[in-house]
Amino acid sequence: AGGLVMYKGLFAGISKPMAVASKKIVDSKPVYFQLGYIHSPENSLFHFNINALLYNFSNQNNIDLNTKFWYNQRVGLGLSLRKNNIYRNFEKTWSLIPSVEYKMYKSVHVGISYDNNKLTDPVSGNSSYENDLNLRGIFQLYFRYTSNPNQGDSKFFNKF
């Protein structure tokens, strides 16, 4: 359940994707608040969006600040600043996550991002993954397929 409003590139939304999907009626599910701006002029090679996503999960406030710049609607460079405490037994500090996305075909996008943040066990103060696997960060590869790329009559289609 949710809603979204937009006026001259500015948008705001609220959603609760799991409003009724729960085995226990008392389980707390996050509510997402989103604010942002899309700049996408008709005859320009450069487009960009900026958005903020705020939500509370497991009694922790979380925030994602994101921006993506598009060149010729083909190459996207993104940057995210995140503070997510979504794991019950681990703490995570602020992350600065760069990303690159490429539109291979009309319906296929591929990309990569890198998160150098580690999960920290608040009891011992040690990074649990660093001790076991000696990881310094996580590369995230992604693939996006749009089944009908000509259906882009939404103002949000292919902007993020």
Side-chain angles (χ1 to χ4, degrees), residues 68 70 76-78 97-102 104 108-114 139-145 160:
K68 187 174 282 183
W70 285 97
L77 298 174
I97 304 169
S99 65
V100 176
E101 185 172 341
Y102 180 70
M104 293 177 64
V108 176
H109 290 235
V110 294
I112 187 169
S113 64
Y114 179 72
F139 280 99
Q140 302 165 351
L141 303 173
Y142 55 92
F143 175 84
R144 182 173 63 168
Y145 174 73
F160 295 94

Side-chain angles (χ1 to χ4, degrees), residues 4-144:
L4 182 72
V5 295
M6 183 173 184
Y7 179 73
K8 294 186 178 181
L10 293 171
F11 63 90
I14 183 171
S15 66
K16 188 163 176 90
M18 299 172 64
V20 293
S22 178
K23 291 182 180 179
K24 296 179 186 175
I25 194 79
V26 295
D27 281 353
S28 63
K29 304 297 181 197
V31 176
Y32 297 94
F33 299 94
Q34 187 166 0
L35 303 169
Y37 176 72
I38 296 174
H39 178 71
S40 186
E42 291 281 327
N43 298 321
S44 176
L45 289 177
F46 296 98
H47 305 262
F48 70 90
N49 71 67
I50 299 171
N51 67 73
L53 181 66
L54 311 165
Y55 58 100
N56 185 291
F57 188 74
S58 299
N59 294 323
Q60 298 288 327
N61 291 323
N62 299 281
I63 185 167
D64 290 5
L65 302 172
N66 308 293
T67 187
K68 187 174 282 183
F69 295 89
W70 285 97
Y71 174 72
N72 201 21
Q73 296 185 353
R74 193 99 176 155
V75 176
L77 298 174
L79 195 61
S80 295
L81 180 63
R82 297 181 182 161
K83 175 133 170 91
N84 305 98
N85 289 312
I86 58 175
Y87 304 102
R88 293 186 191 272
N89 299 322
F90 296 97
E91 292 177 350
K92 193 173 178 187
T93 60
W94 286 96
S95 298
L96 189 61
I97 304 169
S99 65
V100 176
E101 185 172 341
Y102 180 70
K103 184 176 182 180
M104 293 177 64
Y105 306 104
K106 203 172 189 181
S107 59
V108 176
H109 290 235
V110 294
I112 187 169
S113 64
Y114 179 72
D115 184 351
N116 67 346
N117 205 339
K118 301 175 210 162
L119 294 175
T120 303
D121 182 352
V123 175
S124 68
N126 293 327
S127 174
S128 63
Y129 290 128
E130 184 179 24
N131 293 338
D132 296 338
L133 301 173
N134 201 24
L135 294 178
R136 301 281 187 252
I138 298 172
F139 280 99
Q140 302 165 351
L141 303 173
Y142 55 92
F143 175 84
R144 182 173 63 168

